[in-house]
Amino acid sequence: MASLSVERKRLGGGAPGCGPLIPPLSETTRPLRQQIFDRVRAAGLIARVQLAKELSISPASVTTLTSELIERGFLEEVQARRESDTVRGRPTVALGVRAAAHFVAGIKLSDREHTAVVVDFAGNLIAGEAISRQPGAMLLADIVGATETLLDRVCAKAGVPRANLSAVGLGVPGFVDCPAGVVHWSPVLTDHHVPLAAAASQRLNLPVHIDNDANLVTLAELWFGAGRRLSDFAVVTIEHGVGMGFVINHRIFRGSQGMGMELGHTKVQLDGALCRCGQRGCLEAYVADYALVREAQTALNLSHRENQSVGALLESLFDHAKAGNSAARSIFHRAGRYLALGLANVVNLFDPELIILSGERMRYDYLYAEETLDEMRAMMLNTGRPTPRIETHAWGDLLWAHGAAALALHEVSDGLLCPPREMAAQ
């Protein structure tokens, strides 16, 4: 896993601020005070005159609304010297988010490690923490208890009491109804249709918002990474499973019931390999780590001892492939072909500007070798359009926790800046 400082630097890419960098005049349906706040947070620092220009509103309106936001403690004035100013030049007054106004936590629960971050209202990382665990599904009470333990540890590291948090974002793999706060199925939970958000909120005495972990990676890219300036892009995650998040018009798409974009469970083979969801022929059943291990156990006679992790088996398989073992190479090649099929379907359906391949399995370059991308291009509709850009981001688990923090920041900001009547009208 990358260090916290390296991870944050990678996420931010050196750009100031956090949140989607939405072009001017593209969000006129949102309350103006919210547009102003979001634009200030995305810019990092911005002058009032620039705000008026970008939003095409009068300077008087900007002054009135920013004064209200300053009075409520959400924004603050910052002395910022222009690049063209001399050393003794007069600094200009810019607006920035008052970072200490609110703090949120983001937590990602997985089969082998739980991770967490605490960020401030401006999106700055305060602290991060990780707890390893034994693989396997957990009872609701146990996973909520593990969440509380991790949250207390990361809050202590950040020097932010748990009671001072405004919200917690929580991510799990599986089928998650984000608006309802219900996990219908997850490999980390023993039961189905679990009201995880309500249970965690009651235990932590804090607002808790949950989402599918692939959506959280997408939110991390949208708020902190490569997707900040893009209106439409896809993130495909390859870890213990295969997930996808999709951004349309600068907003993450979840479907009518909050559970769309399950790329890993699209069917690529009728009556095919058994997927951990219980169905057969899913893309995940040919690309995910347990699929590669299953193939390795058959083709290479690699035994899976109780004390041997899936990761160790995958490393052994990868070592065989690098050493020239034809069976090991064919396993990765076959997985790459199925991945190419899935990516071609994404392109044909949504025509994204960028596809980001993310997750720990991106270390295995056989999955995204040039021949894999060539196969994807061959299966795309031949319309003469250019192929979408493909980027590989092999971040550590803190990326997922950052996405959970972005979810919490979004919910807190909307709750503070968008009254219920206005929210209902959107």
Side-chain angles (χ1 to χ4, degrees):
M1 180 186 295
S3 68
L4 287 175
S5 59
V6 172
E7 190 86 10
R8 184 67 180 92
K9 183 177 179 182
R10 285 172 171 173
L11 282 167
C18 77
L21 290 161
I22 301 174
L25 303 178
S26 63
E27 276 210 307
T28 55
T29 60
R30 304 186 86 200
L32 191 53
R33 78 176 72 84
Q34 192 172 14
Q35 293 182 53
I36 288 175
F37 176 83
D38 288 346
R39 192 161 293 275
V40 171
R41 182 158 60 188
L45 291 175
I46 189 170
R48 287 180 175 87
V49 64
Q50 186 64 24
L51 270 175
K53 179 180 178 181
E54 291 189 5
L55 296 174
S56 294
I57 58 177
S58 69
S61 296
V62 169
T63 299
T64 299
L65 290 170
T66 55
S67 296
E68 174 193 331
L69 291 169
I70 291 172
E71 184 177 346
R72 294 177 65 182
F74 302 152
L75 298 182
E76 61 185 1
E77 292 184 332
V78 180
Q79 299 293 322
R81 191 178 303 279
R82 300 186 184 91
E83 291 184 5
S84 59
D85 287 343
T86 62
V87 174
R88 297 188 180 185
R90 181 179 178 181
T92 185
V93 175
L95 295 170
V97 171
R98 192 169 76 84
H102 293 275
F103 295 92
V104 303
I107 296 176
K108 191 251 181 156
L109 305 175
S110 76
D111 197 43
R112 297 174 183 87
E113 184 178 55
H114 302 326
T115 54
V117 297
V118 171
V119 304
D120 62 27
F121 206 32
N124 299 307
L125 175 67
I126 307 301
E129 187 61 279
I131 296 178
S132 60
R133 76 175 187 91
Q134 291 297 317
M138 301 173 69
L139 295 170
L140 174 60
D142 293 334
I143 208 161
V144 169
T147 300
E148 183 178 34
T149 298
L150 177 57
L151 182 62
D152 287 341
R153 282 178 56 167
V154 75
C155 283
K157 195 171 183 179
V160 177
R162 189 211 296 182
N164 287 7
L165 296 176
S166 297
V168 175
L170 186 61
V172 296
F175 307 146
V176 180
D177 185 338
C178 177
V182 174
V183 180
H184 291 288
W185 171 83
S186 173
V188 302
L189 283 164
T190 56
D191 296 323
H192 292 187
H193 315 298
V194 175
L196 179 59
S201 181
Q202 183 177 16
R203 178 72 170 263
L204 303 175
N205 196 29
L206 290 168
V208 175
H209 308 280
I210 69 171
D211 207 344
N212 169 275
D213 57 359
N215 282 343
L216 296 185
V217 176
T218 308
L219 280 173
E221 295 287 3
L222 179 64
W223 276 64
F224 303 105
R228 293 188 65 198
R229 297 181 181 275
L230 302 179
S231 64
D232 303 271
F233 68 93
V235 175
V236 175
T237 61
I238 305 177
E239 290 250 336
H240 319 307
V242 176
M244 186 173 104
F246 202 91
V247 168
I248 299 176
N249 192 25
H250 306 280
R251 291 287 177 264
I252 194 163
F253 177 82
R254 293 188 176 91
S256 63
Q257 300 182 55
M259 294 184 293
M261 298 299 164
E262 287 291 347
L263 176 67
H265 300 286
T266 56
K267 303 301 180 281
V268 295
Q269 182 70 53
L270 289 174
D271 302 319
L274 181 65
C275 178
R276 62 177 177 170
C277 74
Q279 296 191 354
R280 290 188 175 274
C282 297
L283 174 63
E284 180 178 298
Y286 295 92
V287 177
D289 58 2
Y290 65 87
L292 297 178
V293 167
R294 180 195 63 219
E295 295 294 323
Q297 289 173 320
T298 301
L300 301 177
N301 197 28
L302 293 179
S303 61
H304 189 181
R305 299 184 298 273
E306 286 189 8
N307 62 345
Q308 188 177 30
S309 68
V310 170
L313 281 168
L314 284 176
E315 288 299 327
S316 177
L317 176 63
F318 193 46
D319 288 342
H320 278 82
K322 288 188 295 183
N325 184 290
S326 59
R329 284 176 176 268
S330 69
I331 290 171
F332 281 108
H333 178 67
R334 182 170 183 250
R337 294 195 68 193
Y338 276 107
L339 177 60
L341 172 60
L343 295 178
N345 287 337
V346 170
V347 175
N348 290 338
L349 282 169
F350 301 108
D351 191 25
E353 181 178 348
L354 170 69
I355 297 177
I356 298 171
L357 303 178
S358 186
E360 188 178 353
R361 299 300 164 253
M362 289 299 96
R363 294 186 298 109
Y364 302 135
D365 52 2
Y366 287 99
L367 283 177
Y368 56 94
E370 190 58 37
E371 48 266 39
T372 295
L373 300 182
D374 285 342
E375 290 212 46
M376 179 200 78
R377 298 181 188 105
M379 287 184 278
M380 287 172 46
L381 287 173
N382 186 12
T383 62
R385 67 179 183 227
T387 304
R389 288 189 292 123
I390 306 286
E391 293 184 6
T392 302
H393 295 178
W395 308 143
D397 255 8
L398 284 178
L399 177 77
W400 311 66
H402 264 94
L407 173 65
L409 280 176
H410 170 76
E411 295 292 342
V412 169
S413 301
D414 276 12
L416 292 168
L417 299 168
C418 191
R421 183 180 301 174
E422 292 175 315
M423 291 182 72
Q426 292 187 49

